[in-house]
Amino acid sequence: MTAPDDSPRRPAGLDDTTVEALGKFSEALETVERIRGHLYSLHQLTGKADFALDDAAELFRRAGHDKLAERIERELIGRNVLAGRWTFQVVEEYDDGYYTEFRNLEKDARDELAGGRRHLYEAELKEQRRTAGRPGHESRP
């Protein structure tokens, strides 16, 4: 398919199934990006909860509940969320392993098959679905 400005978006000879496969791969990467964001939310929210425990323990102690305050301090504050790991370690392991490998392989597929072009499937879908000549339906900015 040719883009409206007459520059080819899809490299010559690239078949529909490959464009669709690249689109699915890109969609999967977008999901992984969302997962990564949720991991950072887990990281930040866990830290916030851990610091809130300081306040809770202090308030319990002021209210005369020393045993409960001590349990919170001993059993929860600073506790690993997974065996041997705080959340920053979970995020780093995810980033350095699965996430990096996923991003690299998706980029390699685009480079090898589509000359590095991103979102071929979506670009062609846009051309199919927009109303040419209608305001708000322009093909390019």
Side-chain angles (χ1 to χ4, degrees), residues 8 16 23 29-30 36 43 55 59 71 97 99 104 129 138:
D16 289 344
L29 176 58
E30 291 168 7
R36 184 173 182 253
H43 167 57
D55 297 335
L59 290 167
R71 277 193 69 197
Y99 175 73
N104 289 341
R129 296 182 59 83
E138 297 82 10

Side-chain angles (χ1 to χ4, degrees), residues 1-12 114 117 120 124 140:
M1 173 174 275
T2 302
D5 67 358
D6 293 329
S7 65
R9 180 92 173 134
R10 180 191 287 209
R117 291 177 180 94
L120 287 176
E124 292 181 5
R140 302 275 169 99

